[in-house]
Amino acid sequence: MSRDREQRWNHNIHFHRLVTDAVPTGATSALDVGTGDGMLAGELRALVSDVTGIDVDQGVLARAEAEHPGIVWIHDDVMTRDFGRRFDVVASIATLHHLGDMRGALRRLGALTSPGGVLVVVGLARSTSVGDHAHDAFGVVQHQWFSRTRTYWEHSAPTVWPPPHSYSEVRAAATEELPGVQWKRLALWRYALTWHRPR
């Protein structure tokens, strides 16, 4: 990996480690949903031999393919694509709020996860509670610090703002659709869901 790529930072890259640290021992396959510029897929490729990135934006996929070799790139909608398989790791960074039907998307991502595998979702939502706004305030401080000490990199993927669901709505849906899911509210206007599919 080039030094320039190693030094890139933004709110999404900041949380890639939540995915890479969750890769189960013995995992051989991974799916990066809404892969965008493919940076997470590239990091997963260093850990597992079989990595697929899927996105509905052909332009960002072309850039990802040029920069990250050894990955299967698919221009399609994860909600309707027939992969014909499951994956030991399913990851989604800042994509869930793009998929419209949040509950359906959570069920779909869970169904794509192999028994014994892990699903990790890092997403954006709307702040509605005092606790949410406290996290947001800390996020402002954290953003300013990292922006001054890292090389801020603006991704080229489309954005949706504001997110259509609140943090409490996402947490409630995930708890119902993915029994046993672990929830964590993050700074930098993010949350994390980690779900291990039973064997």
Side-chain angles (χ1 to χ4, degrees), residues 30-66:
L31 174 66
D32 182 15
V33 177
T35 190
D37 293 282
M39 293 190 67
L40 177 60
E43 293 180 35
L44 287 168
R45 183 63 181 81
L47 301 173
V48 299
S49 59
D50 175 10
V51 177
T52 299
I54 184 169
D55 204 292
V56 295
D57 188 312
Q58 181 65 65
V60 295
L61 279 178
R63 290 187 288 275
E65 185 171 9

Side-chain angles (χ1 to χ4, degrees), residues 60-87:
V60 295
L61 279 178
R63 290 187 288 275
E65 185 171 9
E67 190 167 352
H68 303 281
I71 295 169
V72 176
W73 304 104
I74 298 176
H75 177 220
D76 206 348
D77 185 346
V78 69
M79 297 298 290
T80 56
R81 175 77 179 192
D82 181 7
F83 293 94
R85 59 183 296 199
R86 293 174 176 166
F87 300 85

Side-chain angles (χ1 to χ4, degrees), residues 76-195:
D76 206 348
D77 185 346
V78 69
M79 297 298 290
T80 56
R81 175 77 179 192
D82 181 7
F83 293 94
R85 59 183 296 199
R86 293 174 176 166
F87 300 85
D88 298 328
V89 181
V90 176
S92 169
I93 303 285
T95 298
L96 187 64
H97 64 293
H98 287 266
L99 299 181
D101 178 4
M102 176 181 57
R103 287 178 178 271
L106 289 169
R107 288 193 298 271
R108 172 64 170 158
L109 299 184
L112 288 169
T113 307
S114 299
V118 66
L119 165 63
V120 182
V121 175
V122 176
L124 294 79
R126 284 186 289 103
S127 294
T128 55
S129 71
V130 172
D132 289 340
H133 292 296
H135 275 93
D136 292 346
F138 180 66
V140 171
V141 175
Q142 196 174 25
H143 169 79
Q144 291 174 345
W145 167 256
F146 282 117
S147 294
R148 292 186 178 114
T149 59
R150 307 286 178 91
T151 302
Y152 188 82
W153 181 70
E154 187 65 49
H155 64 77
S156 61
T159 60
V160 171
W161 192 265
H165 304 100
S166 69
Y167 288 99
S168 59
E169 288 171 334
V170 176
R171 184 175 187 175
T175 299
E176 292 179 15
E177 302 297 341
L178 302 169
V181 70
Q182 297 172 323
W183 161 273
K184 187 173 184 179
R185 177 68 164 90
L186 306 169
L188 297 175
W189 305 279
R190 301 292 189 275
Y191 64 85
L193 304 172
T194 305
W195 180 69

